[in-house]
Amino acid sequence: MNLISYYLDEQNQWALNINELRRALEESKSVCRPKAIVVINPGNPTGSVLTKDNIENIVRFAKENNLLIIADEVYQHNIWDPSARFYSFKKVMHELGVRLELVSMMSASKGFMGECGLRGGYLELENFDTEVKAVFYKMLSA
């Protein structure tokens, strides 16, 4: 495994710039074969919320590069900017008609409860092979 860092566009409300993603992906190919992209939306600690257009571009980028999207969406109920709107990666992906593997993560301890020490979360696997899901669930139960 190898960490591939990409930088958010602070001047554009912490958006995820596709050219920056391309740069990071190309740079990493000398040391690894990228398989996934992790996106945290809404962002922490910036509080940024990706626009629908930005998410569409990320989904297209992932499709073009055959990347699994791991969407950490646990702060979706903690949006403080009244002009911002949360869009889930799953919804945007379906609206685009794009089919690719997606892990969408949510939490019971960050949005509604938010109590210190209380931790609980869940995830959804979208478009995964049934055998892969079975192995994943077996691993979780072990």
Side-chain angles (χ1 to χ4, degrees), residues 36-66:
I37 180 170
V38 176
V39 183
I40 302 170
N41 181 51
N44 181 18
T46 66
S48 65
V49 182
L50 297 177
T51 64
K52 184 177 182 184
D53 184 53
N54 199 191
I55 294 171
E56 288 174 350
N57 288 331
I58 295 164
V59 168
R60 288 185 191 106
F61 175 83
K63 181 69 174 174
E64 289 168 17
N65 294 284
N66 196 30

Side-chain angles (χ1 to χ4, degrees), residues 57-90:
N57 288 331
I58 295 164
V59 168
R60 288 185 191 106
F61 175 83
K63 181 69 174 174
E64 289 168 17
N65 294 284
N66 196 30
L67 300 173
L68 155 72
I69 296 176
I70 301 173
D72 178 339
E73 300 175 321
V74 303
Y75 290 104
Q76 62 186 270
H77 297 291
N78 293 352
I79 297 173
W80 308 112
D81 180 355
S83 67
R85 181 167 175 212
F86 172 78
Y87 295 93
S88 73
F89 271 81
K90 179 180 177 180

Side-chain angles (χ1 to χ4, degrees), residues 9 11 14 22 25 28 33 44 50 58 65 79 87 90 96-97 106 108 111 123 128 135 141:
D9 185 354
Q11 309 315 79
W14 300 99
R22 283 191 184 99
L25 186 70
S28 71
R33 291 188 337 218
N44 181 18
L50 297 177
I58 295 164
N65 294 284
I79 297 173
Y87 295 93
K90 179 180 177 180
L96 287 173
M106 187 47 179
L123 61 85
F128 275 75
V135 169
S141 66

Side-chain angles (χ1 to χ4, degrees), residues 71-128:
D72 178 339
E73 300 175 321
V74 303
Y75 290 104
Q76 62 186 270
H77 297 291
N78 293 352
I79 297 173
W80 308 112
D81 180 355
S83 67
R85 181 167 175 212
F86 172 78
Y87 295 93
S88 73
F89 271 81
K90 179 180 177 180
K91 179 177 176 141
V92 171
M93 191 175 75
H94 282 277
E95 288 176 354
L96 287 173
V98 173
R99 183 173 169 83
L100 58 98
E101 292 175 328
L102 168 74
V103 177
S104 178
M105 298 183 292
M106 187 47 179
S107 170
S109 59
K110 300 291 184 190
F112 294 114
M113 301 289 287
E115 297 184 26
C116 294
L118 181 61
R119 296 289 182 248
Y122 52 94
L123 61 85
E124 179 178 15
L125 303 176
E126 183 79 10
N127 298 319
F128 275 75

